Amino acid sequence: NDIMIRQLSKYNPPDWSAGICKGSKYIIPLAQRPTPIQKWNLPLVPEGFEVYIKRDDLTGSTLSGNKVRKLEFLLGEALHNGCDTVITCGGVQSNFCRASAVAASQVGLKSYLFLRTQNGDPADIDYTGNLLLDRLNGTTIVPVPYLKYKGVTAGGTEPTYVEGLEDKMMQLADHLRTKGHKPYIMPVGGSNSTGLWGYIEAFKEMMEQDVHKEFDDIVVATGSGGTLEGLGIANYLTQSNLRIHGVTVCDDENYFYGHIDKSLRELGLTHTDKGQPLSSRDLVDIIDGYKGKGYALSTEDELSQLVDISTRTGVTLDPVYTLKGVRGMLGEMNTNPQRFKGKRILYIHTGGIFGLFDGRVSEFLKSQPENAVCTLESLLAIEK
């Protein structure tokens, strides 16, 4: 912990972010940066379009994906404040929770994860996918049942999953304080005014890679909104004139536009330089309609496409986020191409590789008639 605290440094934000009233003050180095940008020969891309991919799945090993960029700022704040514990929440196979557990271990903090399962039963917490890494990194897992999406703030009678989980995390934090600990609570996906600096800094990295000169559009899968809003705000402040698209994997476009509008108010970005009201719709384009059966649920068609893309391009997507992001991008390219500013598209791979090991892809592959496992004798016989 002392070694990591010595690596904690004051963050020097880019000059173009000076208009943000809530600056992130500290950063702890966790990610492997910069991540590469590669040509991607993605199947089903219509003629005229060119697709490249920014490999934010390569930000680390067990600490990989877009979440680590947010955690550099979130844990930087936690360490600067002298916290000894982090608490966060998400779905049972949450990438952010896994990254939080790994990063907390690296910097010497204890972690608690509130994970949503069907019934909140401890038996729902197995050893697959992200859960295996959660356990390997010594986190304490608190299973909680699903809560309704329409909460009291939206006219419902029960709290949303966010409202309900925030209340549970606060209860644990209060208890830990009575035991002499200093907890730090991180929201779903790390998406708040501190975490979004991860993708403001990432946009600075992309400008150094000439993304604003080489591309017309950026596409990313959107689950909690933090990555998308960071990109949208940075694109606006730099006047880079890229079009930023977020493909929803949960909720709907109104939720994400509302989430980003709230962030803009918190950051003091309510008006343009000319005094006009600034809206999330000025910054990003939300692409809805590609969630399939719903969040973290997969169809056979989706899994088949995941396997096909991996087989034909060597880029492995995850079924929860990046595959649905790609399906939304391809769907709009083929049916609504005018949605894009141009033909040079950059897709950001946000990671999630460990979600492949939750069992669903294995079961799908077992059900397929093609079998890539065979004896040498059978191969030689086929060749004859």
Side-chain angles (χ1 to χ4, degrees):
N1 195 10
D2 290 340
I3 294 173
M4 294 305 296
I5 288 176
R6 286 198 294 272
Q7 293 184 40
L8 182 67
S9 61
K10 197 161 186 177
Y11 176 59
N12 294 313
D15 292 340
W16 45 260
S17 67
I20 300 177
C21 68
K22 277 192 176 182
S24 192
K25 296 186 173 71
Y26 291 89
I27 185 171
I28 185 79
L30 297 170
Q32 305 301 310
R33 296 180 271 123
T35 56
I37 294 173
Q38 302 166 343
K39 182 79 166 69
W40 195 15
N41 296 315
L42 184 65
L44 303 179
V45 172
E47 186 176 352
F49 279 97
E50 263 194 316
V51 176
Y52 282 71
I53 183 168
K54 182 163 173 66
R55 301 295 302 272
D56 265 16
D57 55 323
L58 303 181
T59 49
S61 177
T62 53
L63 191 59
S64 66
N66 62 328
K67 311 302 185 185
V68 63
R69 291 189 185 267
K70 301 177 184 182
L71 285 164
E72 289 190 323
F73 291 93
L74 292 162
L75 294 187
E77 186 172 82
L79 289 170
H80 174 68
N81 291 341
C83 297
D84 59 10
T85 305
V86 293
I87 305 171
T88 193
C89 59
V92 69
Q93 284 288 343
S94 167
N95 294 308
F96 179 70
C97 287
R98 176 261 308 159
S100 298
V102 175
S105 290
Q106 287 188 11
V107 303
L109 303 180
K110 172 66 179 170
S111 61
Y112 291 84
L113 307 179
F114 285 79
L115 300 183
R116 302 191 309 274
T117 72
Q118 191 64 43
N119 301 305
D121 188 341
D124 295 334
I125 307 298
D126 58 26
Y127 295 81
T128 64
N130 285 303
L131 288 170
L132 177 61
L133 289 167
D134 295 341
R135 291 177 181 271
L136 284 172
N137 283 278
T139 193
T140 298
I141 298 172
V142 184
V144 292
Y146 285 121
L147 295 167
K148 295 182 182 298
Y149 276 77
K150 187 177 181 182
V152 291
T153 56
T157 57
E158 297 180 42
T160 63
Y161 74 98
V162 173
E163 294 164 344
L165 287 174
E166 284 177 349
D167 180 64
K168 292 178 185 297
M169 290 193 293
M170 286 298 299
Q171 288 181 46
L172 175 60
D174 289 342
H175 172 73
L176 291 173
R177 289 187 189 100
T178 67
K179 302 295 183 182
H181 294 287
K182 191 170 183 181
Y184 180 84
I185 295 177
M186 300 185 292
V188 171
S191 295
N192 61 10
S193 58
T194 299
L196 71 82
W197 281 89
Y199 270 83
I200 291 177
E201 180 68 12
F203 198 88
K204 174 188 169 186
E205 175 183 305
M206 287 190 281
M207 290 187 72
E208 292 167 355
Q209 295 173 310
D210 286 336
V211 164
H212 59 305
K213 299 176 183 177
E214 302 293 333
F215 297 96
D216 304 304
D217 298 77
I218 293 176
V219 182
V220 66
T222 299
S224 59
T227 297
L228 179 66
E229 68 185 358
L231 293 170
I233 289 169
N235 183 56
Y236 167 73
L237 292 175
T238 58
Q239 299 182 334
S240 294
N241 294 319
L242 292 157
R243 188 167 295 167
I244 311 295
H245 310 268
V247 182
T248 63
V249 303
C250 58
D251 297 296
D252 57 29
E253 62 178 86
N254 290 328
Y255 169 82
F256 288 106
Y257 282 130
H259 174 83
I260 297 172
D261 279 331
K262 180 182 176 185
S263 294
L264 291 175
R265 292 193 295 271
E266 290 176 357
L267 297 170
L269 296 173
T270 56
H271 291 80
T272 67
D273 292 340
K274 297 179 180 179
Q276 299 297 317
L278 183 63
S279 164
S280 57
R281 295 174 187 268
D282 301 322
L283 305 188
V284 299
D285 169 43
I286 305 293
I287 298 174
D288 210 351
Y290 295 91
K291 293 186 286 289
K293 292 166 63 178
Y295 177 71
L297 302 175
S298 298
T299 65
E300 281 209 3
D301 182 58
E302 289 169 357
L303 296 178
S304 177
Q305 188 173 14
L306 184 151
V307 173
D308 182 58
I309 291 171
S310 182
T311 301
R312 294 171 64 178
T313 74
V315 174
T316 303
L317 304 173
D318 82 291
V320 179
Y321 292 95
T322 52
L323 175 69
K324 293 185 179 182
V326 166
R327 286 172 68 86
M329 177 179 70
L330 289 173
E332 295 302 299
M333 281 180 178
N334 281 280
T335 63
N336 190 19
Q338 64 272 19
R339 187 164 203 159
F340 298 89
K341 181 182 177 184
K343 302 291 187 181
R344 304 173 300 170
I345 314 299
L346 179 65
Y347 184 78
I348 299 181
H349 191 323
T350 49
I353 190 73
F354 302 108
L356 288 169
F357 303 101
D358 67 355
R360 80 182 84 181
V361 178
S362 301
E363 290 305 311
F364 173 77
L365 289 172
K366 288 177 187 177
S367 70
Q368 300 308 294
E370 301 87 2
N371 192 337
V373 180
C374 49
T375 64
L376 175 60
E377 290 76 13
S378 63
L379 275 176
L380 294 175
I382 291 170
E383 292 301 322
K384 290 178 181 179

